[in-house]
Amino acid sequence: QVQLVESGGGLVQPGGSLRLSCAASGSFFSIYAMNWYRQAPGKQRDVVAQIISGGGTNYADAVKGRFTVSRDNAKNTVYLQMNSLKPEDTAVYYCNVVGRTESRGPVQNYWGQGTQVVVSS
């Protein structure tokens, strides 16, 4: 059974930094992408950053140049380094893994429980 456990959220002042981590427990046969989403109150959940199996990355325009996504394949862990944080970055951040646990199993989406990030002075 796969579980995603996130950590690293909290309260930070504008201009500050935070590093989110998401550790995937359980066994994956293949991971195709590891993503970070965020959802602010009253808004939809949007993708923030993505790292695909080959190592390529993609970012939402709002975070380009400020956020960096990385992964440790040996630990099945994905990170989100967030710098120069702004009040509009305040949201619940969710980890998402797209993969399969068996060679002939379906490709599925797995989600973490979310971690709150508040950027405020």
Side-chain angles (χ1 to χ4, degrees), residues 38 48-49 58-68 80 89 93:
R38 69 184 180 187
V48 173
N58 296 292
Y59 297 93
D61 287 343
V63 306
K64 281 181 181 176
R66 300 188 297 121
F67 290 11
T68 302
L80 186 67
D89 294 318
Y93 284 70

Side-chain angles (χ1 to χ4, degrees), residues 33-71:
M34 302 181 85
N35 309 305
W36 287 98
Y37 284 74
R38 69 184 180 187
Q39 187 168 20
K43 296 189 176 181
Q44 66 181 22
R45 189 177 297 186
D46 291 323
V47 63
V48 173
Q50 175 187 63
I51 184 163
I52 61 176
S53 58
T57 57
N58 296 292
Y59 297 93
D61 287 343
V63 306
K64 281 181 181 176
R66 300 188 297 121
F67 290 11
T68 302
V69 61
S70 60
R71 64 182 286 184

Side-chain angles (χ1 to χ4, degrees), residues 8-115:
L11 172 64
V12 64
Q13 292 186 340
S17 298
L18 282 175
R19 189 192 194 210
L20 306 183
S21 299
C22 173
S25 64
S27 178
F28 280 97
F29 177 77
S30 295
I31 292 177
Y32 300 105
M34 302 181 85
N35 309 305
W36 287 98
Y37 284 74
R38 69 184 180 187
Q39 187 168 20
K43 296 189 176 181
Q44 66 181 22
R45 189 177 297 186
D46 291 323
V47 63
V48 173
Q50 175 187 63
I51 184 163
I52 61 176
S53 58
T57 57
N58 296 292
Y59 297 93
D61 287 343
V63 306
K64 281 181 181 176
R66 300 188 297 121
F67 290 11
T68 302
V69 61
S70 60
R71 64 182 286 184
D72 184 330
N73 291 331
K75 296 181 179 179
N76 274 352
T77 299
V78 61
Y79 306 96
L80 186 67
Q81 178 67 43
M82 305 186 294
N83 299 327
S84 302
L85 283 161
K86 305 175 181 180
E88 51 264 43
D89 294 318
T90 295
V92 178
Y93 284 70
Y94 295 91
C95 172
N96 165 256
V97 172
V98 181
R100 65 176 82 215
T101 56
E102 298 176 355
S103 61
R104 295 184 178 182
V107 177
Q108 293 184 296
N109 275 286
Y110 300 90
W111 291 91
Q113 80 284 359
T115 185

